[in-house]
């Protein structure tokens, strides 16, 4: 069966791996990206960008200062903007995303938040009077914007943000002010140096009454000189763990006046005479965050896929140690521990991307509903995207780190691309709402679902399984080798665990309440359990999504995806075995059975491992990893990469000449 990546001159071990492929890698790639045409388009973009001198990096960014990296990234951004249509359909979200990844990379660029949040916030929340003016100019990039919500003192708890927007009826303006040091906006991406406007989240005050957080469009810099406007202090917050090429910024506003129409008023409104009309759903103002949380799934699935590609290809190329005496050194991918480290990451990357596809459909349906005046899909989507954002970012972070360690010493080098990848990806656990806090949003929803289920009320999409009758004992290991039924038995066991944990958390909460605690204090006493229930529920949702995609996939790729799904479900069940055992739903014998099936899965997947990661179809440019390169010619490339280090420009470093040599000389003369 064809693996389409084989080329002459490649590392022979990688070629050998590709020859054992049992499916058509292009079929799987096309399935992953929605169609064969989408796959071809991605490849065309990659090909054109790779050959274009505007996007060449003579010196890898690993060896440049932050300032130089920002300069190089800004230059490439300009080229993408001016020449984008030479490479792709610039109106196609996924083509643009791919173009940016290929041309610029993942560490941030001047327009990341402009496209990622500023425009979506205006499009989703502003009304016509404002959008007619600002959106054409923003699309034309006369206006570049950031999404400035988080402050130095508050990010998670939006209700306590301190920046104020006070309505002045006399002039029909809002006065926007930063009252304290901790009220300074702090963290927003591209706020520091690139943006001349921002959507700023402020507490709305009318007639001395605090109404709550709302968004306002504020001009920060002169459109001609790019200097900050009077009353505005803005700058970069300094170096951070990663996102080196993003100017996360600070902002203080000194009683800046903006016209009434600058409030984003599609949902909540303030009339000229200061009458406030609330939105049709209280949290519609938070819509941009729901949008980003949903779309983060795709990005983080791809981040984990990158790490899995690097670790799998490198493990096929690297030979070290022997499994039996008297035979040549083995590919490290033959070690069971290596497979157990890496293969679940491959499966999870697929699971995340497939889950994203389901969520995207739900998101689109919700937006359509809102346009027709219905918000009934929002609570379910908010609850599940809050959980998914948290589980997926955590899962991807752990997975990338496993892949990095699986590459041994070379994984610790920036040449592997993995330290930077981890730095960028792990930020997702924090931004768009810290994970522990967002899981509580999911848990709150589960508590309502428990109550509805007990009362026999209808249950919405993500919690529909709360209404199923549990069989009391798991069917795991009792399905006589029927794979489809085995998969169903594992899904049922996970659903049982999520439901039980939710019910138990609800009972613990209630008990504390009966013991005299307020509802809120009682909640804080059970949040670890609440979040546990939310995580398991979210993992059930992912497992169901993966299962649905596999069972509806084309027959040509269904066998390999079924193997991958088996590994995924066995791994998830073993990882959550304590939840399955706790109430006796599963026995110890059943967990031992799951483990033995998992080890069989590792062996089954071994011949397809490289082909499964090849099917993610990430180019060498996107991978940005000496270890993960498609041709597997790792060692020579590693040496050539190291040669580019600034430290190697001279044989004797000035620092050595200035301090180390005189010290050696002094010591020598003492003898
Ligand atoms: C080329 C194109 C590129 C496109 C790129 C696309 C995507 C971009 C992806 C990545 C961008 C790339 C790189 C950029 C990297 C980083 C960007 C980062 C940006 C940011 O971080 S912006 C700041 C984000 N901040 C937060 O997320 C804050 C988190 N806090 C909150 O959301 C809220 O404070 C809270 C935790 C939800 C609590 O809110 P609160 O008002 O107190 O409400 P509650 O009392 O808790 O709940 C009451 C009620 O409301 C429900 N609720 C809450 N939120 C929502 C919601 N959003 N929607 C619907 N319902 C909601 C809640 O469930 C409660 O319901 P009840 O029924 O129980 O009453
Ligand atoms: C790379 C990056 C990019 C960002 N980009 C933007 C941007 O473009 N625009 C923007 O506005 N912001 C941005 N942010 C800010 C980001 O959204 C916030 O940092 C994030 O929402 C977390 O809020 P916080 O910093 O207030 O964390 P905190 O709330 O202070 O969290 C600290 C700890 O307190 C815990 N905690 C807080 N509240 C609770 C609770 N109720 N229950 C239990 N535990 C709790 C948390 O779990 C965590 O362990 C960015 C941040 C990063 C790292």
């Amino acid at each position: 069966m064809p693996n389409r990546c084989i080329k002459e001159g490649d590392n022979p071990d990688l070629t050998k791996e590709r020859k054992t492929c049992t499916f058509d890698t292009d079929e799987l790639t096309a399935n992953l990206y929605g169609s064969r045409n989408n796959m071809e388009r991605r490849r065309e973009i990659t090909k054109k960008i790779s050959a274009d001198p505007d996007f060449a990096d003579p010196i890898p960014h690993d060896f440049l200062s932050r300032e130089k990296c920002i300069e190089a990234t800004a230059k490439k951004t300009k080229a993408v903007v001016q020449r984008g249509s030479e490479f792709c359909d610039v109106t196609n979200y996924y083509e643009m995303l791919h173009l940016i990844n290929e041309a610029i990379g993942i560490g941030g660029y001047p327009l990341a938040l402009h496209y990622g949040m500023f425009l979506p916030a205006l499009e989703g929340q502003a009304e016509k009077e404002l959008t007619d003016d600002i959106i054409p100019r923003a699309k034309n990039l006369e206006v570049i914007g950031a999404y400035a919500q988080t402050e130095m003192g508050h990010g998670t708890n939006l209700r306590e943000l301190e920046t104020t927007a006070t309505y002045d009826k006399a002039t029909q303006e809002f006065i926007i002010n930063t009252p304290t040091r901790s009220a300074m906006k702090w963290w927003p991406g591209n706020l520091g140096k690139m943006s001349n406007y921002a959507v700023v989240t402020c507490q709305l005050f009318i007639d001395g009454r605090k109404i709550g957080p709302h968004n306002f469009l504020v001009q920060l810099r002169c459109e001609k000189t790019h200097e900050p406007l009077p009353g505005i202090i803005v700058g970069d917050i300094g170096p951070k763990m990663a996102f080196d090429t993003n100017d996360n910024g600070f902002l203080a506003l000194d009683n800046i006046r903006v016209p009434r129409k600058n409030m984003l008023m599609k949902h909540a409104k303030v009339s000229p005479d200061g009458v406030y009309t609330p939105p049709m759903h209280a949290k519609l103002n938070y819509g941009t965050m729901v949008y980003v949380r949903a779309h983060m799934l795709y990005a983080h699935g791809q981040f984990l896929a990158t790490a899995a590609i690097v670790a799998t290809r490198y493990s096929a190329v690297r030979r070290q140690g022997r499994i039996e005496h008297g035979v040549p050194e083995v590919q490290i991918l033959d070690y069971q521990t290596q497979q157990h480290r890496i293969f679940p990451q491959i499966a999870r990357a697929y699971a995340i991307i497939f889950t994203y596809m389901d969520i995207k459909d739900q998101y689109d349906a919700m937006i359509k509903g809102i346009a027709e005046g219905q918000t009934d899909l929002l609570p379910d989507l908010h609850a599940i995207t809050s959980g998914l954002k948290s589980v997926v970012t955590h899962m991807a972070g752990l997975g990338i780190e496993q892949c990095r360690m699986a590459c041994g010493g070379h994984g610790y080098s920036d040449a592997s691309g993995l330290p930077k990848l981890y730095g960028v990806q792990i930020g997702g656990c924090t931004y768009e709402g810290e994970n522990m806090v967002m899981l509580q949003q999911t848990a709150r929803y589960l508590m309502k679902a428990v109550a509805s289920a007990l009362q026999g009320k209808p249950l919405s999409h993500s919690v529909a399984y709360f209404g199923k009758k549990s069989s009391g004992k798991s069917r795991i290991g009792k399905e006589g080798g029927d794979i489809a039924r085995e998969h169903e038995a594992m899904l049922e066991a996970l659903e049982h665990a999520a439901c039980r944990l939710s019910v138990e958390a609800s009972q613990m909460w209630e008990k504390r309440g009966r013991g005299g605690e307020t509802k809120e204090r009682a909640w804080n006493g059970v949040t670890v359990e609440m979040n546990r229930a939310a995580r398991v529920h979210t993992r059930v949702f992912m497992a169901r999504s993966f299962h649905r995609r596999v069972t509806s996939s084309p027959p040509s790729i269904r066998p390999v995806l079924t193997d991958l799904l088996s590994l995924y479900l066995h791994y998830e069940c073993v990882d959550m075995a304590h939840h399955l055992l706790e109430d006796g739903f599963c026995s110890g014998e059943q967990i031992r059975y799951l483990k033995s099936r998992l080890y069989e899965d590792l062996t089954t997947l071994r011949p397809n491992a490289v082909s499964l990661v090849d099917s993610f179809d990430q180019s060498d440019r996107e991978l940005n990893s000496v270890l993960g390169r498609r041709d597997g010619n790792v060692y020579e490339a590693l040496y050539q990469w190291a040669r580019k280090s600034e430290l190697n420009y001279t044989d004797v470093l000035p620092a050595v000449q200035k301090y180390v040599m005189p010290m050696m000389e002094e010591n020598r003369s003492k003898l």
Side-chain angles (χ1 to χ4, degrees), residues 598-615:
L598 172 60
Y599 306 142
E600 283 168 29
D601 293 334
L602 298 178
T603 310
T604 307
L605 275 182
R606 171 69 184 84
N608 276 326
V610 166
S611 301
L612 276 165
V613 297
D614 285 346
S615 303

Side-chain angles (χ1 to χ4, degrees), residues 147 149-151 154-163 185 201-203 210 212-215 283 285-286 289 293 433 437-438:
Y147 183 81
Q149 183 173 283
T150 307
E151 297 172 357
H154 291 90
T156 289
N157 187 6
L158 297 181
R159 283 200 254 179
E160 299 299 330
L161 291 177
E162 295 179 81
T163 307
K185 294 294 173 190
T201 310
C202 311
Q203 294 293 351
K210 180 176 164 182
H214 288 72
N215 287 326
K283 301 299 171 190
N285 289 343
Y286 293 180
M289 290 176 277
R293 287 178 199 132
V437 177
M438 297 323 294

Side-chain angles (χ1 to χ4, degrees), residues 4 10 34 55 62 103 122 157 202 214 251 284 292 326 385 400 402 427 436 492 535 548 586 613 617 649:
R4 313 276 175 172
D10 287 356
F55 302 103
D62 308 310
L122 291 169
N157 187 6
C202 311
H214 288 72
L251 170 69
L284 275 179
V292 176
T385 49
I400 292 169
Q402 275 300 330
M436 292 300 144
E492 187 202 27
R535 274 193 290 267
R548 221 178 357 263
C586 283
V613 297
D617 212 39
Y649 288 0

Side-chain angles (χ1 to χ4, degrees), residues 175-187:
I175 305 160
I176 304 205
N177 191 41
T178 305
T180 62
R181 175 64 74 226
S182 60
M184 277 184 97
K185 294 294 173 190
W186 200 273
W187 270 114

Side-chain angles (χ1 to χ4, degrees), residues 354-406:
F354 285 136
T355 303
Y356 163 75
M357 291 173 177
D358 277 1
I359 287 295
K360 191 182 169 299
D361 291 346
Q362 281 185 46
Y363 182 85
D364 292 344
M366 184 209 57
I367 290 297
K368 192 164 169 271
I370 289 177
E372 290 161 5
Q374 287 157 10
T375 57
D376 48 332
L377 297 179
L378 178 59
D380 197 65
L381 189 74
H382 164 63
I384 194 62
T385 49
S386 299
L388 283 168
K389 176 268 180 210
S390 309
V391 167
V392 160
T393 53
H394 188 70
M395 196 178 254
L398 293 183
I400 292 169
E401 185 55 3
Q402 275 300 330
C403 289
R404 187 192 66 72
M405 289 189 281

Side-chain angles (χ1 to χ4, degrees), residues 418-455:
L418 297 176
K420 287 246 163 70
L421 177 70
Y422 179 75
V424 167
Q425 183 281 324
I426 205 69
C429 293
T430 306
Y431 65 70
E432 287 312 328
E434 209 282 326
N435 281 355
M436 292 300 144
V437 177
M438 297 323 294
L439 283 168
Q440 289 180 57
Q441 291 290 313
T442 316
R444 271 174 86 128
Y445 192 70
L446 294 183
M447 293 308 103
K448 287 191 174 169
V450 168
S452 297
L454 290 175
Q455 294 162 27

